[in-house]
Amino acid sequence: MAPLGVAFRTSALTAAMLLTPLALPSSAAAKPTVHTVVMDKMVFAKAPTGVRVGDVIVWVNKDIFQHTATARDRSFDVDLAPGKSARTVVRKTGLVNYYCRYHPGMTGRMVVAAK
Ligand SMILES: [Cu+2]
């Protein structure tokens, strides 16, 4: 009986040791990143990189003109008066092209990876 009890305890301990370190990195990876895109002087500042589904994009209009950040696929569309900002949450993977509805020459693109 004794060897069985020892074997059980050993495997339970091993399982606990394996599970604990694995749980930490996965919960850290799930944390959304906040990316900021500034609109100023009639352009979108450089596109965010390393964007993943669930991340937040903060669109900041520092210009003296009203601008929108509008996805070509309509997955987001924010309309910002000068000095205003808004947040959108990234919902799908792939290439996202965006532009300003008032100034179609203002364009940008970002690549979204899976979570
Ligand atoms: Cu604009």
Side-chain angles (χ1 to χ4, degrees), residues 2-78:
L4 205 72
V6 169
F8 172 76
R9 255 184 243 143
T10 304
S11 65
L13 243 178
T14 307
M17 286 164 76
L18 279 174
L19 285 173
T20 306
L22 282 177
L24 290 172
S26 68
S27 63
K31 209 173 177 184
T33 303
V34 177
H35 308 269
T36 301
V37 179
V38 172
M39 302 126 103
D40 197 10
K41 300 181 175 68
M42 300 293 285
V43 295
F44 288 101
K46 77 175 174 58
T49 56
V51 180
R52 293 184 173 273
V53 168
D55 283 359
V56 174
I57 310 288
V58 179
W59 306 92
V60 181
N61 183 3
K62 289 189 176 171
D63 214 340
I64 57 169
F65 304 104
Q66 182 143 356
H67 295 300
T68 74
T70 305
R72 299 255 180 228
D73 64 6
R74 297 287 159 164
S75 57
F76 58 82
D77 183 15
V78 295

Side-chain angles (χ1 to χ4, degrees), residues 65-102:
F65 304 104
Q66 182 143 356
H67 295 300
T68 74
T70 305
R72 299 255 180 228
D73 64 6
R74 297 287 159 164
S75 57
F76 58 82
D77 183 15
V78 295
D79 193 337
L80 296 172
K84 297 294 181 185
S85 64
R87 299 160 73 91
T88 58
V89 177
V90 179
R91 295 291 182 204
K92 50 175 260 198
T93 60
L95 179 64
V96 182
N97 284 287
Y98 49 89
Y99 69 108
C100 171
R101 283 189 276 112
Y102 305 126

